[in-house]
Amino acid sequence: MPDQTLIVDGVVVSSNLLTLSHGEHCHDGDCKAACCVGGIWVDLLEVQRILEHANDLRPFLAPQYALNEDLWFEDDDYLHPDFPSGVALATRTVPRAANAEVDGCIFLRADHLCALHVASDALGLGWPGLKPFECATYPIRRADGIVGYDEETAAENPHADCQKRTEPSPLPRFVVFKAELELAIGKKAYSELAKRANSL
Ligand code: SF4
């Protein structure tokens, strides 16, 4: 299906959400956080919230990066309207705690879990807590105002597509990634998308 757009409840979404998946949503962790290779752009307001919780977060980070929060984000900012504040900072990429020959996001721990995710759970901060919004919705992503499935990251790393190879008849991506899409666009827009998809 060509990559066109639909508008649901005022939100622009990509028709790539209607494409059939490879299978059910994978939560196995066998990918060892393949999507975290390059780090992530984080809205400035989220960066500020993470840094306000720096002392709470330290016990959950890889020890070599825990004490110095100046290392956690790159210095250069990125101005783009996809981010609610209009400004984002990238998480720093460093040699992975589990394998120093490969780089990964500084918040990635030796157990391949995200320190911001683990800490948010432990501190009872709800979902997504301190986990960057773009990471919490992955592989759903907003790019140039269009919310869709992140073809780019999955193409760069096939282990990062978050799908098991299951048969028969895999479901469309918007069904497989319902939770991530509802977080990204809201339940009302999701419901409208599902109705539109089912009427095609
Ligand atoms: S913040 Fe967490 S989920 Fe996001 S790229 Fe870094 S380690 Fe991965």
Side-chain angles (χ1 to χ4, degrees), residues 36 39-40 105 107-108 114 116 131-132 135:
C36 301
I40 188 76
C105 175
F107 293 109
L108 197 57
C114 169
L116 300 176
K131 187 162 185 170
C135 300

Side-chain angles (χ1 to χ4, degrees), residues 21-49:
S21 67
H22 299 302
E24 63 192 67
H25 198 317
C26 182
H27 296 287
D28 293 348
D30 292 344
C31 64
K32 298 183 175 155
C35 60
C36 301
V37 166
I40 188 76
W41 290 104
V42 186
D43 185 273
L44 190 59
L45 296 174
E46 291 183 82
V47 171
Q48 288 167 349
R49 189 157 170 255

Side-chain angles (χ1 to χ4, degrees), residues 33-42 50 73 91-93 96 104-109 112-118 130-136 138:
C35 60
C36 301
V37 166
I40 188 76
W41 290 104
V42 186
I50 289 167
F73 297 94
T91 59
R92 198 174 295 275
T93 51
R96 280 190 176 214
C105 175
I106 196 166
F107 293 109
L108 197 57
R109 305 163 10 138
H112 308 294
L113 297 178
C114 169
L116 300 176
H117 186 152
V118 175
L130 296 173
K131 187 162 185 170
F133 192 75
E134 293 267 317
C135 300
Y138 185 81

